[in-house]
Amino acid sequence: QLQLVESGGGLVQPGGSLRLSCAAPESIFNIYIMGWYRQAPGKERELVASRTNGGTTNYADSVKGRFTITRDVDKNTVYLQMNNLKPDDTAVYYCSASRGAEVSWGQGTQVTVSS
């Protein structure tokens, strides 16, 4: 299991922006698929965005055009830039690193979108 550390969550008004960060302990981006998931109260955890080691990205329909997943290889960090946030984006956001059946999770960071 990899130790992933998220940061950057918080309270933001509708229409605002946040950037989440996920720090990995080593350079894993060449062999792992990095992803961001979220889980709202009473709902199942869902995939928000992912990025393969080859650079292919995938987004949930609900965030397309608003969220962007990127990485900084030198800092061993993956980011989730979230723009035009909506109340429905309120959830705990989790970073993940997966390789085959092996999946590691971060501890989660709360994002609350409210006026």
Side-chain angles (χ1 to χ4, degrees):
Q1 286 283 320
L2 300 172
Q3 184 173 5
L4 306 173
V5 180
E6 299 113 332
S7 61
L11 173 64
V12 63
Q13 292 185 344
S17 297
L18 283 175
R19 189 178 76 161
L20 305 183
S21 300
C22 172
E26 58 194 48
S27 179
I28 62 172
F29 301 142
N30 288 335
I31 58 175
Y32 282 83
I33 297 174
M34 303 302 297
W36 285 97
Y37 287 73
R38 67 186 180 187
Q39 187 166 20
K43 295 186 177 181
E44 294 185 354
R45 190 173 296 189
E46 64 174 355
L47 176 66
V48 175
S50 64
R51 191 184 192 285
T52 70
N53 52 4
T56 300
T57 57
N58 182 49
Y59 296 92
D61 288 343
S62 60
V63 307
K64 283 181 180 177
R66 300 189 297 123
F67 291 12
T68 305
I69 184 170
T70 58
R71 71 181 191 186
D72 186 326
V73 176
D74 291 337
K75 296 182 178 179
N76 297 331
T77 301
V78 63
Y79 303 98
L80 184 68
Q81 178 66 44
M82 306 185 294
N83 298 327
N84 190 21
L85 283 160
K86 304 176 181 180
D88 284 349
D89 295 319
T90 296
V92 178
Y93 284 70
Y94 297 90
C95 176
S96 72
S98 59
R99 181 177 60 174
E102 173 191 348
V103 183
S104 298
W105 296 95
Q107 81 284 359
T109 185
Q110 177 70 45
V111 172
T112 301
V113 185
S114 175
S115 55

